[in-house]
Amino acid sequence: MIGMELTKQEQAMLDGKEGYAVCKSMEILVALGEIFGAKSLIKVGSVQVAGVSYQNLGDAGLEFLNELAVDGRVRVLTTLNPAGMDLENWQQLGISPEFAEKQNLVIDAFRRMGILISCTCTPYLIGNLPLYGEHLAWSESSAVTFANSVLGAKTNREGGPSALAAAFVGKTPNYGLHLDENRVPDVHVQVNAELTKLSDWGALGYAIGKKAENKIPYITGIKSVELDDLKSFCASVVTYGTKPLFYMKGVTPGAESQNQPKNTVTIEQSDIKNAYDNINDEVSDIDFVCVGCPHCSIKEIQEIADLINGKKVVEGTELWVATSRTAKQLADKRGYTATIEAAGGKFACDTCMAVAPLKGRFKALATTSAKGCFYSRQSLMKTKMGSMKECVDAAVTGKWNS
Ligand code: F3S
């Protein structure tokens, strides 16, 4: 006996009339709906699936995917989060053949399901661009936050299996951030700090995440912001503490129609400094520079190419540019790839520093990303966060100089 109202077709799916994968998916969706008090399922416009790296899936995860891939076929546009390696140039990134073999089996299962093998955390930059108000089932936390807060779409932060289930059914349980009553901001954040470089947005995300503590912030005081800043901010603010939704006055569609919460916190310059102090470790020798968390836009790749043109990555240090394959193909055409590779930099398409098997491989990371620092510490690296220029300088000197 279930409390959720199912249509005849949904009930038939649950009864196994549309195959194994759909039946299993309905079981997952109904169980989730029951736990969170959903009354029904709603259609989703697209799905974004995390849990793609073999490092996180292991053999049990691969087996689960292979079982679903027998008859499971996605019903809506479905894209993938980064995998554990560059699917084409994994050797160059030092990935072992054993890992590559398993990762390719994972990708093959997703391909059989009809999923676009896009492997990026910026699906909105490569053609999975939701509409305002559209319901989604996305997994990657930075992308979920971007979809909710910058685009005004509606998605919970799905786990890998629930996103996959939504893709096979084309629906998700109607609870959480799908409902307007759960999208009301509950803390006002007045930003008084000056933000001058990309990494300041990661620091701001850290500061707000810590002060807003699992709330939905209504952010005022932002004077100007660019797409790449928002991309970085979305990754950071949810990593360090908020729900995957914020309202930013002048940015978020519909922010003006929300009441500004009375409970106010402020972000001062000292909060930004405190964020850097907490994110940065005491370290000066850098053996790994990784930019592109979330995945680099073409504009960021252009900036890296301009900064590194005519220079050389120092021996003993690696520079990775993490991006989508789509952005890399544009970079190929524009000549940025040739410039970066001539300097000794490497492209890490389809993957990132958090999901590649890097534990114990590097000692100290330099990056533009607060989220990248959070996850790299789990891979036992010391971390430094700074501007794109500071990161490129670290790549060519092997030192952190600020
Ligand atoms: Fe994307 Fe990986 Fe960062 S998934 S947001 S590049 S940790």
Side-chain angles (χ1 to χ4, degrees):
M1 183 67 192
I2 57 172
M4 238 171 46
E5 226 172 81
L6 298 183
T7 64
K8 268 192 184 150
Q9 193 203 3
E10 289 162 0
Q11 187 61 54
M13 287 171 154
L14 184 60
D15 294 341
K17 306 266 167 47
E18 297 197 23
Y20 173 81
V22 168
C23 175
K24 280 279 152 222
S25 298
M26 278 299 291
E27 285 173 9
I28 291 170
L29 298 179
V30 166
L32 260 181
E34 295 287 306
I35 290 166
F36 291 104
K39 294 201 173 75
S40 62
L41 298 177
I42 37 159
K43 282 189 177 168
V44 291
S46 70
V47 172
Q48 193 255 0
V49 176
V52 180
S53 173
Y54 175 71
Q55 173 172 251
N56 305 329
L57 285 165
D59 284 332
L62 175 56
E63 199 180 317
F64 172 73
L65 293 176
N66 273 330
E67 279 171 14
L68 292 176
V70 172
D71 67 353
R73 299 295 175 266
V74 299
R75 293 178 191 228
V76 293
L77 174 66
T78 303
T79 53
L80 286 183
N81 218 33
M85 64 182 197
D86 186 309
L87 299 180
E88 292 180 10
N89 289 323
W90 51 269
Q91 289 104 327
Q92 270 192 16
L93 299 183
I95 303 294
S96 72
E98 295 74 30
F99 183 90
E101 190 186 343
K102 295 285 192 176
Q103 183 64 70
N104 281 329
L105 290 173
V106 169
I107 294 298
D108 186 54
F110 283 129
R111 189 175 282 120
R112 278 180 280 141
M113 295 171 189
I115 296 177
L116 210 65
I117 307 302
S118 50
C119 297
T120 183
C121 50
T122 56
Y124 46 86
L125 294 182
I126 60 119
N128 187 354
L129 182 65
L131 296 175
Y132 174 71
E134 191 171 35
H135 293 277
L136 317 170
W138 284 19
S139 307
E140 156 56 33
S141 65
S142 68
V144 166
T145 309
F146 192 96
N148 279 322
S149 318
V150 179
L151 304 174
K154 296 177 178 178
T155 176
N156 289 317
R157 182 178 170 179
E158 301 291 343
S162 66
L164 210 44
F168 292 144
V169 172
K171 295 180 180 180
T172 193
N174 194 11
Y175 72 94
L177 294 179
H178 292 287
L179 301 171
D180 287 342
E181 66 256 34
N182 296 326
R183 298 177 64 90
V184 178
D186 43 11
V187 59
H188 169 215
V189 179
Q190 168 65 34
V191 177
N192 297 325
E194 290 291 324
L195 307 166
T196 58
K197 56 188 181 189
L198 179 63
S199 51
D200 288 352
W201 290 89
L204 179 69
Y206 177 98
I208 294 180
K210 293 289 176 193
K211 288 198 179 184
E213 284 178 338
N214 207 28
K215 293 196 172 73
I216 299 174
Y218 187 97
I219 302 164
T220 59
I222 300 297
K223 295 189 188 87
S224 77
V225 62
E226 296 188 6
L227 176 78
D228 292 327
D229 304 329
L230 288 168
K231 184 161 74 67
S232 176
F233 176 71
C234 286
S236 176
V237 76
V238 69
T239 298
Y240 288 102
T242 64
K243 289 206 173 123
L245 165 64
F246 61 81
Y247 292 84
M248 189 180 281
K249 203 170 176 189
V251 171
T252 307
E256 276 68 22
S257 61
Q258 295 286 342
N259 291 326
Q260 189 172 297
K262 294 211 166 50
N263 171 21
T264 298
V265 296
T266 65
I267 300 292
E268 310 294 340
Q269 214 61 47
S270 57
D271 294 307
I272 300 299
K273 182 181 176 307
N274 179 53
Y276 276 100
D277 288 347
N278 278 288
I279 290 167
N280 286 343
D281 290 314
E282 283 297 320
V283 64
S284 60
D285 290 342
I286 301 292
D287 59 353
F288 185 41
V289 180
C290 187
V291 288
C293 172
H295 272 171
C296 277
S297 66
I298 188 66
K299 196 175 163 201
E300 289 174 308
I301 297 173
Q302 177 183 12
E303 189 185 352
I304 298 161
D306 288 346
L307 285 166
I308 209 162
N309 193 7
K311 298 177 182 159
K312 278 273 175 219
V313 174
V314 69
E315 210 182 317
T317 300
E318 290 206 20
L319 166 64
W320 286 17
V321 177
T323 191
S324 65
R325 192 155 298 283
T326 313
K328 158 85 164 35
Q329 282 161 354
L330 270 177
D332 293 349
K333 290 214 164 72
R334 301 281 299 175
Y336 307 146
T337 304
T339 303
I340 292 167
E341 290 184 343
K346 296 175 182 178
F347 274 80
C349 295
D350 317 311
T351 188
C352 83
M353 64 187 112
V355 295
L358 296 181
K359 203 172 230 171
R361 190 166 145 196
F362 298 107
K363 292 192 177 68
L365 165 84
T367 182
T368 51
S369 167
K371 178 178 177 181
C373 289
F374 179 88
Y375 283 102
S376 295
R377 278 180 172 169
Q378 294 179 4
S379 292
L380 310 179
M381 290 179 228
K382 301 273 187 204
T383 56
K384 284 287 189 193
M385 178 177 77
S387 67
M388 198 67 94
K389 180 173 182 318
E390 287 169 307
C391 288
V392 170
D393 285 348
V396 299
T397 62
K399 302 275 178 209
W400 189 258
N401 286 320
S402 54

